[in-house]
Amino acid sequence: MRLLAWHDGEVFEASKLQTDRPYVMQRIHTLSGDAYNLDRHIIELRSASEDLFGFSTLCGVSDARRIIAKLLELSRVGTCLSVPVVMRLDADGSLSFEVEHPTFGRGAYMRAKRDVGIACVMTEPLSDSQTNASIEIDALADSMVKHLGGERAIWVSREGNLLSRAWRPIFVYYQQCWFTPRRFNSVEFNVALEAIKSAGYKVLVRDIHESVLDSVDEIMSVDIMGISSFARVKNHRLLSSVTNRVAKMMEPRIDD
């Protein structure tokens, strides 16, 4: 296996990809050479680049699908595991694709490791699409809670209300219903929403104050590759059985 990147028509080792200019990006779930929800990812990428840079990519779904399929084939990542592929458009209009390491699962699934969450005061992201800046800020927030005994930051506003991110929406389960602080058009949010409804649960969009985290049943965050369930927030232990039911309904779903 050798992870590769595509940049303006050239293919090379992913480690040599230069990403020193500001960019917007979408992380795409691929399995067996297929890129899932690619049309929706491109819509989100175009919307973000138009808002931030004033232009959008001319790359269409068929072109992106062809590039991704060729990169996966040349990278020899196999067909047994899901593989994330990043599509980036930078401030100079340069387009790139990068194959990342395969996950430990086939299709979307709930990760075995459950993190301890700690509330961290942050501000709303500038864009609903990931950027070079948001990646650094995400990492910074998680690092900020390490010395408090946490592993993953739970974003809250200065008023104490939960903040969600389009690429990692957060959901809280309480009294047989899922709650989330904000609705997004992102692929990640819509995949999660469809899975929750398919599992037989309702989703309500409501302000969620940090204080209620001491009494909720479960908390999960969703990214393009799967679900992360929180094990504990503060001193309150959380369950994961309902989250697991949602994970089993998440696309791409591989039936046994």
Side-chain angles (χ1 to χ4, degrees):
M1 180 178 70
R2 47 195 291 260
L3 304 181
L4 300 176
W6 180 99
H7 180 241
D8 288 345
E10 294 186 25
V11 175
F12 47 85
E13 298 285 342
S15 60
K16 297 179 181 178
L17 178 64
Q18 298 295 319
T19 56
D20 51 355
R21 289 185 292 272
Y23 61 78
V24 293
M25 61 169 271
Q26 288 286 299
R27 203 159 177 251
I28 301 159
H29 191 135
T30 77
L31 179 61
S32 299
D34 292 331
Y36 286 80
N37 298 304
L38 185 56
D39 54 340
R40 292 156 67 181
H41 279 298
I42 290 178
I43 289 172
E44 288 301 299
L45 187 77
R46 286 175 172 168
S47 177
S49 64
E50 287 170 357
D51 288 344
L52 297 178
F53 305 143
F55 61 83
S56 65
T57 179
L58 297 177
C59 182
V61 175
S62 59
D63 291 330
R65 195 177 302 281
R66 174 180 52 79
I67 294 167
I68 291 171
K70 191 63 176 179
L71 275 180
L72 292 170
E73 178 188 352
L74 294 175
S75 293
R76 298 178 182 175
V77 291
T79 59
C80 295
L81 299 174
S82 290
V83 181
V85 174
V86 176
M87 181 180 184
R88 295 184 182 90
L89 182 66
D90 73 23
D92 288 342
S94 185
L95 182 68
S96 65
F97 294 82
E98 179 185 357
V99 178
E100 297 186 328
H101 285 281
T103 66
F104 293 104
R106 180 174 169 81
Y109 68 103
M110 189 174 84
R111 296 174 177 89
K113 186 180 185 305
R114 301 178 62 214
D115 292 330
V116 174
I118 298 287
C120 185
V121 176
M122 302 295 291
T123 57
E124 291 274 7
L126 182 64
S127 171
D128 285 351
S129 185
Q130 282 183 287
T131 67
N132 57 300
S134 74
I135 291 172
E136 296 295 329
I137 293 171
D138 285 349
L140 175 63
D142 290 339
S143 296
M144 287 165 60
V145 301
K146 299 289 186 185
H147 72 285
L148 300 173
E151 297 168 298
R152 179 80 65 179
I154 295 178
W155 287 34
V156 298
S157 67
R158 293 191 180 278
E159 295 74 30
N161 292 318
L162 261 65
L163 296 177
S164 193
R165 290 158 285 170
W167 54 90
R168 192 182 288 272
I170 191 167
F171 298 85
V172 171
Y173 184 72
Y174 180 66
Q175 292 189 345
Q176 301 183 329
C177 185
W178 285 101
F179 296 86
T180 190
R182 184 179 167 188
R183 183 181 297 274
F184 297 101
N185 289 324
S186 67
V187 176
E188 292 86 344
F189 183 89
N190 284 296
V191 167
L193 184 65
E194 291 162 9
I196 291 171
K197 291 181 176 179
S198 295
Y201 299 96
K202 293 191 302 182
V203 179
L204 297 179
V205 180
R206 298 283 190 277
D207 286 340
I208 304 169
H209 196 268
E210 176 192 354
S211 60
V212 307
L213 300 183
D214 287 332
S215 56
V216 301
D217 301 312
E218 303 186 22
I219 303 175
M220 69 174 181
S221 65
V222 180
D223 59 52
I224 201 59
M225 303 309 292
I227 291 178
S228 295
S229 173
F230 286 89
R232 180 165 54 86
V233 58
K234 300 180 182 179
N235 294 318
H236 178 53
R237 294 191 176 277
L238 297 160
L239 304 174
S240 61
S241 58
V242 178
T243 302
N244 190 48
R245 292 187 201 118
V246 172
K248 290 180 179 178
M249 304 304 295
M250 186 167 288
E251 298 290 347
R253 186 170 74 249
I254 306 302
D255 298 320
D256 295 331

